[in-house]
Amino acid sequence: EPEVTQTPSHQVTQMGQEVILRCVPISNHLYFYWYRQILGQKVEFLVSFYNNEISEKSEIFDDQFSVERPDGSNFTLKIRSTKLEDSAMYFCASSEERYVIGEAFFGQGTRLTVV
Amino acid sequence: DAKTTQPNSMESNEEEPVHLPCNHSTISGTDYIHWYRQLPSQGPEYVIHGLTSNVNNRMASLAIAEDRKSSTLILHRATLRDAAVYYCIPSQNSGGSNYKLTFGKGTLLTVNP
């Protein structure tokens, strides 16, 4: 069964450092997403991406965040200068079509710990 | 955004059916109703979605009220692997070319052996 793959599974970084979280979406999918979940809290939408540009972003996704699809397979989330409050599970997702008529496949997540 | 109300937690016994309710009284006529679940330490997993008619798939059934203000996810025979947080999510047309999923707190389902 196809799956979304995220690396690394766990990343520890110092406050102020840049991190890049990587995702390999399902190959024929066209829509890509990042979500995050702070420990004990809800899963929160960050950004959606289609046709090599951001379709929608949340208030959380400020100038410190960026996304990129550098080649035909990877989808990355960069945090330029991490803060303690960026510590969370980050989930990548992809879908073949829009959510409303399809399903989104989520990766297993990257646990980011900012110290 | 359509507001949803789900019980914080529910408990079931293995091999028994489970009915997980969701109220979404402010849902719009074009919103689909999605159900996702999140097993411990994993990413969310799609379960089922529907618009007006009841839906079945290999994982579950979705019963949608005639007025669409509520729905029920039915797991026909709960297994220990079904222990998870279940989220009812009306899809949202945000006006762009993509849609986002807005997760609430969901229902924590405990399955007893």
Side-chain angles (χ1 to χ4, degrees):
Chain A
E1 187 170 319
E3 60 179 12
V4 174
T5 306
Q6 291 187 242
T7 55
S9 56
H10 191 187
Q11 172 115 28
V12 181
T13 188
Q14 291 204 324
M15 192 169 54
Q17 295 295 304
E18 173 184 289
V19 294
I20 297 176
L21 309 183
R22 302 179 192 281
C23 169
V24 179
I26 294 172
S27 60
N28 64 330
H29 285 186
L30 301 176
Y31 298 85
F32 312 110
Y33 315 85
W34 284 100
Y35 288 78
R36 79 171 187 189
Q37 186 174 32
I38 295 170
L39 186 63
Q41 297 189 24
K42 300 177 189 178
V43 177
E44 301 174 288
F45 168 79
L46 292 178
V47 66
S48 60
F49 191 86
Y50 169 71
N51 200 25
N52 282 321
E53 59 183 27
I54 290 173
S55 301
E56 184 176 1
K57 59 184 181 180
S58 71
E59 291 177 355
I60 303 168
F61 195 89
D62 60 23
D63 292 343
Q64 293 299 313
F65 291 87
S66 63
V67 289
E68 195 177 35
R69 189 156 160 81
D71 52 42
S73 60
N74 291 289
F75 180 51
T76 61
L77 174 70
K78 181 192 291 186
I79 309 174
R80 287 190 185 81
S81 178
T82 50
K83 303 187 283 278
L84 293 176
E85 53 264 38
D86 293 328
S87 294
M89 282 290 289
Y90 287 80
F91 295 109
C92 173
S94 69
S95 63
E96 187 174 5
E97 299 172 341
R98 301 172 188 176
Y99 288 142
V100 71
I101 53 174
E103 61 182 277
F105 290 78
F106 285 77
Q108 295 291 71
T110 292
R111 179 172 298 283
L112 176 65
T113 303
V114 182
V115 297
Chain B
D1 295 358
K3 181 175 165 55
T4 60
T5 304
Q6 297 181 254
N8 290 331
S9 62
M10 289 184 66
E11 206 166 318
S12 172
N13 294 321
E14 206 175 2
E15 309 265 312
E16 291 184 355
V18 182
H19 291 231
L20 296 161
C22 179
N23 286 321
H24 32 76
S25 57
T26 60
I27 196 170
S28 78
T30 56
D31 282 352
Y32 279 70
I33 300 150
H34 289 77
W35 283 81
Y36 280 75
R37 70 182 185 181
Q38 188 174 21
L39 278 64
S41 302
Q42 295 193 27
E45 176 185 30
Y46 167 84
V47 178
I48 200 166
H49 74 279
L51 183 61
T52 55
S53 304
N54 295 344
V55 185
N56 300 295
N57 66 19
R58 63 178 177 82
M59 289 181 72
S61 295
L62 177 59
I64 301 172
E66 200 169 323
D67 63 8
R68 294 193 358 106
K69 293 185 177 180
S70 65
S71 61
T72 302
L73 179 71
I74 302 164
L75 307 179
H76 296 285
R77 290 180 67 204
T79 68
L80 296 178
R81 198 197 171 275
D82 292 321
V85 179
Y86 285 79
Y87 302 100
C88 162
I89 307 173
S91 66
Q92 297 167 52
N93 182 348
S94 57
S97 60
N98 276 60
Y99 296 81
K100 63 183 181 185
L101 295 168
T102 300
F103 289 81
K105 294 182 180 178
T107 296
L108 174 63
L109 175 67
T110 302
V111 180
N112 300 313

